[in-house]
């Protein structure tokens, strides 16, 4: 019976797709750290976004003059363009750890730092001004977003906002939906091999499904239409207790490497049959700050033997059969959840696209490399699919832009908690989930 199963798998005629990596903007190369501060990435962001917003302002409010913060005049309506800064009463500060009064301050829940007294400030090279009015809600915006504001200066020196203009969705190339047949991409996130909540059997079932070792002939016909697998971060969980700065004993060294070895065994099985991209996440052995660089291929001696195995950056951008796919391992959305409010993760994803910035809270509350002349997180071309990994639950919807852009948003749940993966059809950009559950009887 086992021999028959192997024969069936070997005879699986898998469909192919055309792949193009677009990760070069996220790769840190030819960059030299010379002690530069983070102000330069803010200047680069403001310069790029201001040029864009100026071109939009002429159609938005053509008769309202544009001026700088320093050029504001009391009572005179104008438009100012700048970077938002949100003053947050509860935002954690490293200095609080050394404050004598720290014990008197109530502890804040870590999931959100919003407070009713939070307010927004707009800043450009000439100065900054506190924003007033009800048009611009502090609960929606975060530090780092560049906007154009229509309003006037009040007697108190504040800027009363009457209207706001965001960049909106970037231009989108026409999707070359070449495929008139079904082709599927499988998105996995939060495998967390080596953690207490990880179920190796659950992941093995998923691997067996992708490789065609499960199901009847009809099921294997569907499996043959899987053309790509994306693993969106947090694939392993290293025991942090071992990383205490001391030399490791030999038994501890093996404990440190076991999760990666376990992952490599499973990835090798996938890469043997289908192209797989693996992105680093916050818990993986990669650099902490964004953009995270590809996981070292030498961590995966089995998988790297296949040219179908690709270690990618986070964020990750690529095209499959003319469909542009952009995504992250979740840090950008998780940070927005801490410093703003929304109905669900998909709403935060929508905002990043409308602000044309993948991670607006970098470098304020989310670590990033101190780029000097560019901001790699600016979205210059709108993707057809935008995914975010390591979320609490699955969610999806279509976002429509003012110029006809259509984006499939996908929130990928943690596999170790839910046993769920997301499957996207490249033919029509529809998606659904697959669940893998295991039960043990005592």
């Amino acid at each position: 019976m086992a021999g028959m199963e192997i024969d069936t798998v070997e005879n699986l005629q898998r469909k192919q797709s055309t792949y193009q990596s677009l990760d070069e903007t996220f790769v840190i190369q030819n960059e030299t750290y010379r002690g530069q501060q983070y102000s330069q990435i803010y200047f680069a962001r403001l310069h790029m976004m201001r040029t864009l917003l100026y071109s939009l302002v002429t159609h938005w409010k053509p008769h309202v003059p544009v001026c700088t913060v320093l050029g504001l005049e009391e009572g005179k309506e104008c438009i100012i363009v700048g970077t938002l800064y949100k003053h947050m009463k509860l935002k954690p500060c490293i200095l609080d750890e050394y404050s004598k009064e720290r014990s008197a301050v109530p502890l804040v829940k870590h999931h959100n730092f919003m407070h009713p007294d939070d307010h927004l400030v707009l800043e450009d090279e000439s100065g900054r001004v506190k924003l007033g009015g009800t048009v611009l809600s502090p609960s929606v915006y975060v530090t780092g977003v560049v906007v154009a504001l229509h309003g006037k200066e009040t007697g108190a020196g504040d800027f009363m906002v009457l209207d706001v203009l965001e960049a909106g969705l970037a231009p989108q190339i026409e999707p070359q939906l070449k495929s008139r047949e079904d082709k599927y991409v499988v998105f996995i996130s939060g495998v967390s091999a080596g953690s207490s909540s990880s179920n190796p059997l659950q992941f093995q079932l998923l691997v067996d499904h992708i490789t065609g070792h499960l199901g009847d002939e009809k099921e294997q016909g569907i499996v043959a239409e899987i053309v790509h697998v994306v693993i969106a971060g947090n694939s392993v969980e290293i025991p942090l207790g071992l990383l205490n700065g001391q030399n490791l004993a030999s038994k501890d060294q093996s404990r440190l490497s076991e999760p990666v070895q376990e992952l490599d065994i499973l990835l090798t099985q996938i890469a043997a049959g289908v192209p797989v991209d693996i992105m680093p996440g916050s818990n993986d052995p990669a650099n902490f700050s964004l953009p995270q660089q590809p996981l070292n291929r030498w961590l995966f001696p089995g998988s790297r033997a296949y040219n179908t195995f690709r270690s990618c950056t986070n964020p990750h951008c690529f095209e499959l059969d003319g469909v542009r796919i952009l995504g992250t391992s979740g840090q950008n959305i998780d940070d927005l959840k801490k410093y703003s409010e929304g109905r669900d993760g998909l709403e935060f994803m929508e905002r990043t696209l409308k602000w044309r910035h993948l991670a607006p809270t970098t470098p304020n509350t989310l670590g990033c490399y101190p780029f000097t002349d560019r901001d790699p997180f600016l979205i210059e071309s709108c993707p057809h699919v935008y995914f975010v990994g390591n979320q609490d639950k699955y969610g999806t919807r279509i976002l429509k832009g003012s110029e006809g852009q259509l984006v499939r948003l996908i929130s990928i749940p943690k596999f170790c908690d839910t046993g769920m993966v997301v499957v996207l059809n490249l033919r029509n950009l529809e998606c659904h989930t697959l669940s893998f559950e295991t039960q043990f009887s005592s």
Side-chain angles (χ1 to χ4, degrees):
M1 192 73 178
M4 288 175 62
E5 183 186 58
I6 292 170
D7 289 342
T8 309
V9 172
E10 287 178 348
N11 294 330
L12 193 68
Q13 296 298 311
R14 194 176 290 278
K15 292 180 180 177
Q16 303 294 315
S17 64
T18 306
Y19 177 92
Q20 181 186 3
S21 172
L22 300 171
D23 279 347
E24 63 271 10
T25 186
F26 303 120
V27 175
I28 301 173
Q29 56 186 0
N30 302 323
E31 297 274 355
T32 305
Y33 180 69
R34 297 188 177 91
Q36 65 263 31
Q37 298 300 303
Y38 284 105
S39 58
Q40 289 170 285
I41 193 172
Y42 278 125
F43 285 138
R45 183 184 309 177
L46 179 58
H47 174 73
M48 294 290 292
M49 292 299 296
R50 182 167 49 200
T51 304
L52 167 68
L53 287 165
Y54 278 171
S55 68
L56 298 176
V57 160
T58 56
H59 302 287
W60 180 50
K61 306 262 173 135
H63 304 298
V64 182
V66 178
C67 70
T68 63
V69 170
L70 195 61
L72 290 175
E73 296 179 26
E74 184 180 338
K76 183 181 177 182
E77 288 192 22
C78 67
I79 291 172
I80 53 176
V81 177
T83 307
L84 291 177
Y85 172 77
K86 181 151 73 171
H87 185 274
M88 302 187 71
K89 190 174 182 178
L90 301 181
K91 179 185 169 186
C93 175
I94 189 66
L95 297 179
D96 292 343
E97 304 222 359
Y98 301 94
S99 171
K100 294 178 181 178
E101 294 81 22
R102 186 169 183 266
S103 58
V105 179
L107 290 173
V108 182
K109 292 181 180 177
H110 288 292
H111 68 274
N112 192 273
F113 298 106
M114 293 291 297
H115 189 276
D117 293 341
D118 293 346
H119 64 267
L120 294 167
V121 171
L122 189 87
E123 187 176 81
D124 65 12
E125 292 97 334
S126 69
R128 52 166 45 193
V129 62
K130 185 178 177 182
L131 304 177
T134 57
V135 174
L136 211 62
S137 172
S139 65
V140 171
Y141 292 90
V142 291
T143 296
V145 178
V146 180
V147 292
L149 302 178
H150 171 215
K152 56 187 176 182
E153 188 178 25
T154 66
D158 297 346
F159 186 77
M160 180 61 63
V161 180
L162 304 175
D163 204 355
V164 57
L165 174 68
E166 298 173 352
L169 269 61
Q172 187 180 57
I173 57 171
E174 191 72 26
Q176 309 168 21
L177 296 175
K178 300 174 183 175
S179 179
R180 300 202 173 184
E181 53 186 1
D182 292 329
K183 288 186 180 181
Y184 296 103
V185 182
V186 176
F187 293 94
I188 314 163
S189 187
V191 173
S192 295
S195 75
S196 56
S197 59
S198 173
N199 183 344
L201 179 58
Q202 206 169 33
F203 193 29
Q204 185 65 59
L205 281 174
L206 167 62
V207 172
D208 289 345
H209 174 78
I210 292 173
T211 53
H213 285 82
L214 292 180
D216 55 18
E217 192 173 333
K218 180 183 176 184
E219 183 73 19
Q220 291 189 349
I222 297 171
V223 167
E225 295 170 341
I226 297 175
V227 296
H228 210 83
V229 175
V230 177
I231 301 178
N234 289 0
S235 302
V236 298
E237 188 166 307
I238 307 294
L240 293 179
L242 298 177
L243 304 175
N244 55 9
Q246 303 297 318
N247 290 331
L248 291 176
S250 56
K251 63 174 183 177
D252 289 335
Q253 288 179 3
S254 63
R255 280 181 60 203
L256 205 59
S257 60
E258 278 169 6
V260 180
Q261 291 172 353
E262 179 187 326
L263 178 67
D264 183 43
I265 291 169
L266 296 166
L267 288 181
T268 304
Q269 296 173 53
I270 298 176
V274 61
V276 56
D277 291 357
I278 183 168
M279 301 162 56
S282 58
N283 295 340
D284 293 321
N287 60 303
F288 172 76
S289 58
L290 295 181
Q292 287 184 290
Q293 299 306 285
L295 292 165
N296 195 314
R297 290 176 60 85
W298 290 96
L299 291 170
F300 309 102
S303 310
R304 75 167 186 266
Y306 294 91
N307 60 7
T308 51
F309 173 78
R310 299 184 187 94
S311 186
C312 305
T313 59
N314 169 37
H316 180 32
C317 186
F318 61 100
E319 283 187 8
L320 270 182
D321 284 354
V323 175
R324 180 163 294 195
I325 301 172
L326 171 68
T328 74
S329 296
Q331 296 101 314
N332 60 330
I333 300 302
D334 292 342
D335 205 58
L336 285 177
K337 289 177 182 176
K338 292 178 184 176
Y339 298 98
S340 58
E341 293 174 346
R343 294 189 309 274
D344 53 25
L346 295 175
E347 184 171 2
F348 292 108
M349 293 174 68
E350 283 186 15
R351 289 175 188 168
T352 58
L353 289 177
K354 290 176 179 175
W355 296 334
R356 292 202 198 183
H357 203 281
L358 267 176
T361 55
T362 57
N364 183 45
T365 54
L366 184 60
C368 81
Y369 184 84
F371 292 94
T372 55
D373 57 354
R374 67 187 181 102
D375 184 346
F377 307 110
L378 291 172
I379 303 172
E380 297 180 8
S381 179
C382 186
H384 304 114
V385 178
Y386 177 32
F387 69 88
V388 169
N390 295 293
Q391 300 304 292
D392 294 328
K393 61 181 181 179
Y394 165 71
T396 185
R397 63 171 165 257
I398 292 286
L399 174 62
K400 296 181 180 180
S402 59
E403 298 174 359
Q405 304 100 319
L406 293 175
V407 188
R408 165 64 68 181
L409 306 177
I410 306 174
S411 170
I412 309 169
K414 298 172 188 169
F415 184 80
C416 67
D417 293 339
T418 64
M420 291 171 63
V421 301
V422 181
V423 182
L424 171 77
N425 190 339
L426 287 177
R427 180 173 62 84
N428 52 19
L429 302 188
E430 292 184 356
C431 62
H432 62 274
T433 59
L434 287 177
S435 291
F436 296 86
E437 294 183 5
T438 55
Q439 291 181 336
F440 296 96
S441 54
S442 55

